[in-house]
Amino acid sequence: MKPFKTHKELIALLKSRGLVIRNDRFAERLLTYENYYAVKNGYKPLFLSTTEPDDIYKSNATIKEIFA
């Protein structure tokens, strides 16, 4: 089982993987209403870099695009 992470920790993780998050409060609200893993595993393939290792996002991919 994976350890629990707060919304702030999840946002930091997404940022470390190259996802652009300009407004942390907005991202926290999105994660409150949407399941992190559904977003990460369901929509990420469209936004992942094809030249980088897994889970590195394309340049300029934003959290707003994923949630759209």
Side-chain angles (χ1 to χ4, degrees):
M1 179 183 272
K2 291 188 178 194
F4 174 80
K5 291 187 190 249
T6 66
H7 289 145
K8 289 181 183 190
E9 291 171 322
L10 293 171
I11 290 167
L13 180 61
L14 290 170
K15 286 180 176 182
S16 75
R17 293 179 176 164
L19 190 64
V20 176
I21 299 174
R22 293 185 180 100
N23 184 331
D24 287 6
R25 290 192 69 196
F26 173 78
E28 282 186 60
R29 281 197 312 269
L30 290 176
L31 291 173
T32 299
Y33 296 108
E34 298 291 335
N35 179 290
Y36 169 81
Y37 292 100
V39 172
K40 179 181 173 290
N41 295 327
Y43 302 110
K44 77 176 181 184
L46 298 171
F47 299 96
L48 289 178
S49 172
T50 57
T51 60
E52 296 290 331
D54 287 345
D55 292 341
I56 300 297
Y57 290 91
K58 293 179 183 177
S59 176
N60 297 320
T62 69
I63 195 166
K64 285 185 178 185
E65 290 175 318
I66 291 175
F67 279 99

